Amino acid sequence: MAFLNSDWRNFESTPAAEEKPDKSITIFDYHRLLSKTGWKTTHRIECPLSSERLTGKMVQKMQDKRILRTIGRTLLIVKKNICK
């Protein structure tokens, strides 16, 4: 099975130094959830996206607020663990 994921953080309005990790959903959370429910991650592939999705004004606002933003997704390929 393939899962295409992105970290879910408040990076659009919060400076990186003020982000709260416990209020975020990251690729690590997806991996932990899949592992707990009997899935094994076999591949983790970074899938960059075009930076053209950001306008100059968006970039300027992010730079002014010292906000980080990623342009990409992570593809997790998993298989079901079968216990014998």
Side-chain angles (χ1 to χ4, degrees), residues 5-6 9-10 14 21 36-37 51 56 59 69-70 72 79 81:
N5 302 296
S6 176
R9 304 179 344 244
N10 191 17
T14 304
K36 284 183 179 179
T37 56
S51 61
V59 172
R69 180 164 182 166
T70 58
K79 69 177 185 176
N81 277 338

Side-chain angles (χ1 to χ4, degrees), residues 14 53 62 73:
T14 304
R53 299 175 56 178
M62 288 168 27
R73 299 288 183 266

